[in-house]
Amino acid sequence: MSTISERPRVLVVTTNFPLRRRGDRTGNFVVDPVVALADDVDTTVLCPIDSRLAAPRERWEGKVDVVRYRYWWPRRAQRLAHGDGIPTALRTDRRAWLQLVPFLVATVLVVLRHARRADVVHAHWLPVALLCLPARWLHRTPIAVTLHGTDVTQFPDRFVAWGLRRMDVVVSAHDDLLATAGRLAPRSRRERIRHLVEPQPVDAAEDAEVAARLEGGPVVLFVARTSPERDPLTFVRAATHVREVVDGVTFALVGSGPLDDAIRVEIAALALEDTVEVFGHRPDVWTFLGRADVFCALSDRNNVWVTALVEAMRAGVPVVATTAGDTARVLRDRHDAMLVPVGDDRAVAEAIVAVLSDATLAERLGATATNTLAENGFDPAAVRSRTLDLYRELAGAPAG
């Protein structure tokens, strides 16, 4: 392992990375910091290759090396690490189970091969970090793991604790995940580093396409995976009440997932075809944020700090959010956001109407968002600095 810390060599290991552009397959919370630190860090990203689209090697945005590896042959038959992620693939496709062991072995081998030239391994999701342990044992390369939620909540506590104790640093943008890590592995080193979220350029053609579907009155936006914990059905039901009060309102639903069929059924049952526009998964979230008048974050678990919420606040879009988890502790009602109970479509509708009918309220919610983000550690310069300092420290010290 190198001990040069001025320009550390970092191996980022993840199961999801965009194929052709930011956001086209997963959130930008992995790719954005990698690109932002390219002037100070030599980064190589390792991720499974897509069954058809991605190139085995590429120079991402001309700044970062991306290496995509196979885990099944033929390549077009790969089913595990694509689409909605490994847990979903294992639940919905029996063929994915056949590929699980080959995937684990392929990941260990490719990490071993590349880690010998790295100063730091940065893994996203705890199960991925555990596959990097052989590289730590053999090459003494320190491992930082970023926790994202399901890697802590969907596995037995003993398994999670065992894994956390073997990491050099446990990183997360979420205070609740760090608190859970502290409970399960009290001696683990834990660092809060927020997601790096900065506005992305908007493509003119995509903007024109979205504008044609949202033309007319105000726009209420929902961006999330359409899964039960994000509660897109409450968003759809709220549209019934809002359109009775606000002329020409459009509810734009961006995202895909297991509730897609249920959403279509609900829209038809409530005769909302002219009010709710379903866009499915889109890489151009900032196109929608540029046209939104209200953003809804309706999780029944926690809204802070999911990437979509931070992006909406960064864009200055007034937010309506449920009080789930730490939301009410962090965000102040009618100051940072309009806070509503979980699953209450009438309360969501009333909050939306309040924002759309009160320009002063809407302006205050949008204007305070930037300060709120900065107060909670989301200043982009600070995030870059903390991440770079951590890499340099790990690169200049032996593994613990």
Side-chain angles (χ1 to χ4, degrees):
M1 185 184 92
S2 169
T3 59
I4 299 174
S5 59
E6 285 303 310
R7 188 175 177 84
R9 296 174 296 182
V10 177
L11 184 66
V12 174
V13 187
T14 179
T15 55
N16 268 327
F17 197 80
L19 298 175
R20 293 179 175 173
R21 54 178 289 188
R22 299 193 197 198
D24 70 359
R25 182 180 175 188
T26 184
N28 291 326
F29 49 80
V30 176
V31 64
D32 282 353
V34 164
V35 174
L37 291 170
D39 291 337
D40 300 293
V41 179
D42 290 326
T43 303
T44 299
V45 176
L46 290 184
C47 61
I49 195 167
D50 185 79
S51 57
R52 294 179 179 86
L53 297 178
R57 288 177 177 268
E58 62 180 309
R59 187 76 171 168
W60 184 266
E61 296 185 3
K63 295 182 177 182
V64 176
D65 290 325
V66 178
V67 178
R68 304 180 194 261
Y69 59 93
R70 289 191 186 192
Y71 57 89
W72 192 258
W73 288 262
R75 171 177 163 179
R76 65 179 179 275
Q78 294 182 145
R79 292 289 185 273
L80 182 62
H82 306 292
D84 289 328
I86 292 175
T88 299
L90 293 174
R91 286 196 303 268
T92 60
D93 192 337
R94 292 181 180 178
R95 293 169 294 181
W97 282 98
L98 297 174
Q99 300 177 9
L100 181 58
V101 172
F103 167 77
L104 299 177
V105 173
T107 302
V108 169
L109 293 177
V110 75
V111 171
L112 276 172
R113 186 165 67 250
H114 288 272
R116 68 166 63 108
R117 297 185 297 274
D119 300 310
V120 180
V121 172
H122 186 173
H124 286 267
W125 294 279
L126 182 60
V128 175
L130 297 181
L131 298 177
C132 301
L133 283 176
R136 184 180 186 275
W137 298 331
L138 184 63
H139 303 307
R140 295 187 60 79
T141 310
I143 300 175
V145 59
T146 293
L147 305 179
H148 293 280
T150 55
D151 47 353
V152 174
T153 60
Q154 292 187 359
F155 294 94
D157 284 354
R158 287 186 179 182
F159 172 80
V160 174
W162 184 90
L164 293 174
R165 287 196 298 266
R166 280 149 183 82
M167 300 295 112
D168 292 273
V169 183
V170 177
V171 177
S172 184
H174 305 285
D175 298 323
D176 57 332
L177 294 181
L178 291 175
T180 300
R183 175 176 60 83
L184 296 175
R187 296 185 180 181
S188 62
R189 176 182 173 185
R190 300 175 298 280
E191 297 286 346
R192 188 187 76 177
I193 301 180
R194 301 299 197 187
H195 294 320
L196 181 65
V197 177
E198 294 186 282
Q200 299 299 316
V202 173
D203 179 81
E206 291 174 338
D207 186 51
E209 176 223 334
V210 170
R213 294 179 63 179
L214 300 180
E215 190 174 17
V219 174
V220 183
L221 179 63
F222 176 97
V223 179
R225 187 167 182 265
T226 57
S227 52
E229 69 273 11
R230 297 301 176 195
D231 201 6
L233 292 177
T234 292
F235 177 76
V236 172
R237 292 165 187 150
T240 303
H241 311 300
V242 175
R243 71 174 180 178
E244 296 175 354
V245 182
V246 181
D247 293 333
V249 67
T250 300
F251 278 55
L253 198 156
V254 179
S256 63
L259 292 182
D260 287 349
D261 291 340
I263 289 169
R264 286 190 286 270
V265 170
E266 194 74 6
I267 290 172
L270 298 175
L272 290 170
E273 292 87 349
D274 294 336
T275 303
V276 180
E277 286 281 345
V278 178
F279 288 87
H281 176 74
R282 296 281 299 232
D284 54 332
V285 171
W286 288 90
T287 301
F288 292 87
L289 289 171
R291 295 190 170 275
D293 297 284
V294 182
F295 179 89
C296 290
L298 305 181
S299 171
D300 64 1
R301 298 181 185 178
N302 202 3
N303 295 299
V304 291
W305 294 99
V306 297
T307 303
L309 175 76
V310 178
E311 288 175 331
M313 295 179 70
R314 180 74 68 205
V317 181
V319 170
V320 172
T322 56
T323 56
D326 289 336
T327 308
R329 183 179 63 82
V330 176
L331 302 181
R332 295 156 290 182
D333 186 33
R334 302 183 71 87
H335 182 80
D336 304 309
M338 301 291 288
L339 300 184
V340 296
V342 171
D344 190 335
D345 53 277
R346 287 191 176 275
V348 172
E350 290 171 1
I352 292 170
V353 171
V355 174
L356 295 179
S357 60
D358 187 340
T360 301
L361 173 63
E363 184 178 355
R364 182 173 72 248
L365 292 174
T368 57
T370 300
N371 290 335
T372 300
L373 290 176
E375 290 168 1
N376 286 277
F378 282 92
D379 177 69
V383 175
R384 285 193 295 267
S385 177
R386 291 202 64 187
T387 306
L388 180 58
D389 288 346
L390 179 63
Y391 285 163
R392 285 175 171 164
E393 176 192 345
L394 292 176

